[in-house]
Amino acid sequence: NAGVTQTPKFQVLKTGQSMTLQCAQDMNHEYMSWYRQDPGMGLRLIHYSVGAGITDQGEVPNGYNVSRSTTEDFPLRLLSAAPSQTSVYFCASSLVGAWTGELFFGEGSRLTVL
Amino acid sequence: SQKIEQNSEALNIQEGKTATLTCNYTNYSPAYLQWYRQDPGRGPVFLLLIRENEKEKRKERLKVTFDTTLKQSLFHITASQPADSATYLCALVLNYGGATNKLIFGTGTLLAVQP
């Protein structure tokens, strides 16, 4: 099993450009989420989804959109990139309601906005 | 204010010794506490979970304690090896019911085990 797959691993954008970070999981997990990780700060939740067609905001949702059309995929869209969105982004998945279990993380996508 | 704190300075220890990492929190009432390992350029990997009513949990060379009175968790690695060098993250699981449970991560502590 591949687990959680994120693409691209690295991306450089100019301010104002848009892009989509892709996330796919093959574990049939209902819960998927996006985090950003910045130096000196813990992982912060951007958006999450508890199943196809259901999404909700996390702690830092501004500037990001998500959708969940299938169980497997959960793309993160940056509509108009800003330098403050320079970060490492992680997608994570888990079984819904199984909070005694673990989050499975992807390898991360490093985004630089110039 | 609500905070979750881990040692911001790197922890350097000699191979074979026990490493102890600390996770302190204030103004949270977590149902569970998790520990993750993160290697440079990689995503975090789950290690252990401990429930609020458990004092201690063990897995091979790993031991986690959870003191809800002190609002502290300790993470121990016994007989440490250079391969244990990584950043270790603690995460509080706040129980809002089912899928709306919330995970709050600490900033992590970098452990360096010297051969």
Side-chain angles (χ1 to χ4, degrees):
Chain A
N1 283 346
V4 179
T5 303
Q6 290 182 234
T7 56
K9 291 191 184 302
F10 301 94
Q11 183 72 48
V12 179
L13 290 178
K14 294 181 179 178
T15 297
Q17 288 184 318
S18 63
M19 77 156 300
T20 299
L21 299 178
Q22 302 290 346
C23 176
Q25 53 90 11
D26 61 1
M27 297 173 283
N28 203 31
H29 286 169
E30 291 293 330
Y31 180 91
M32 296 186 74
S33 56
W34 278 101
Y35 287 85
R36 61 178 289 173
Q37 187 174 41
D38 301 292
M41 306 187 77
L43 287 158
R44 291 182 294 168
L45 183 64
I46 304 171
H47 285 286
Y48 67 95
S49 168
V50 299
I54 306 169
T55 63
D56 206 346
Q57 296 180 349
E59 181 185 356
V60 287
N62 292 340
Y64 308 95
N65 273 1
V66 292
S67 60
R68 185 93 178 271
S69 57
T70 67
T71 298
E72 294 77 20
D73 300 298
F74 191 45
L76 178 72
R77 297 182 184 84
L78 283 71
L79 304 176
S80 178
S84 61
Q85 294 178 303
T86 293
S87 187
V88 181
Y89 292 85
F90 289 99
C91 180
S93 72
S94 182
L95 292 171
V96 167
W99 286 104
T100 56
E102 68 256 44
L103 277 178
F104 293 82
F105 284 86
E107 294 295 346
S109 298
R110 182 176 294 274
L111 175 66
T112 302
V113 182
L114 303 175
Chain B
S1 62
Q2 295 176 314
K3 286 192 300 184
I4 174 170
E5 292 181 323
Q6 296 185 252
N7 308 45
S8 57
E9 294 183 8
L11 179 64
N12 292 286
I13 63 166
Q14 286 295 120
E15 182 175 8
K17 301 292 186 184
T18 296
T20 299
L21 285 69
T22 305
C23 177
N24 294 302
Y25 59 93
T26 56
N27 294 324
Y28 285 116
S29 297
Y32 314 106
L33 191 145
Q34 299 179 348
W35 283 89
Y36 289 78
R37 169 183 173 142
Q38 186 174 22
D39 292 289
R42 310 292 297 272
V45 175
F46 173 83
L47 295 174
L48 278 172
L49 171 140
I50 186 165
R51 293 173 173 77
E52 62 179 334
N53 60 353
E54 294 178 317
K55 297 292 186 187
E56 182 180 297
K57 190 73 132 337
R58 291 175 185 262
K59 179 182 177 182
E60 298 173 351
R61 293 185 296 111
L62 308 180
K63 185 179 83 171
V64 173
T65 63
F66 191 12
D67 189 325
T68 55
T69 300
L70 292 179
K71 295 187 180 297
Q72 179 182 79
S73 175
L74 299 179
F75 178 81
H76 307 272
I77 305 176
T78 58
S80 59
Q81 304 165 0
D84 295 325
S85 298
T87 296
Y88 292 85
L89 310 175
C90 69
L92 307 182
V93 183
L94 306 181
N95 189 356
Y96 296 120
T100 59
N101 286 350
K102 189 176 179 182
L103 229 63
I104 308 294
F105 283 88
T107 54
T109 298
L110 177 61
L111 172 67
V113 181
Q114 310 298 331

